[in-house]
Amino acid sequence: MPKMKTRRGAAKRFKKTGTGKVVRAKSNKQHILTKKTSKRKRRLRKDAVVASVDAKRVKQMVPTL
């Protein structure tokens, strides 16, 4: 049986919490930031937990999670 390969793009985007949940960064924080309010940009800094339905797919893409 060959080794399982990790999808490198997914590996860079997701990480696992101590309790085993999958977290991701929020979108819309890369550019065009001048028109966004400070409150909105501050909320975008925090990580979001991936939905349980999607977490299953992410774990298939990144076997180490």
Side-chain angles (χ1 to χ4, degrees):
M1 187 86 182
K3 287 183 180 179
M4 287 182 72
K5 287 198 172 181
T6 297
R7 294 191 182 228
R8 298 310 300 163
K12 294 168 188 174
R13 286 172 170 81
F14 301 103
K15 60 187 178 199
K16 193 166 70 168
T17 63
T19 56
K21 293 178 184 175
V22 182
V23 289
R24 61 170 177 84
K26 291 184 181 175
S27 59
N28 301 314
K29 188 68 170 55
Q30 292 294 316
H31 63 114
I32 316 174
L33 298 171
T34 50
K35 63 174 79 171
K36 294 171 187 164
T37 63
S38 301
K39 182 181 179 181
R40 184 175 168 191
K41 288 185 279 192
R42 197 162 50 243
R43 278 184 309 206
L44 291 172
R45 276 185 218 149
K46 297 180 180 175
D47 287 341
V49 178
V50 174
S52 56
V53 244
D54 298 325
K56 186 179 175 185
R57 292 218 316 262
V58 171
K59 285 178 182 177
Q60 282 180 334
M61 290 191 281
V62 188
T64 56
L65 283 182

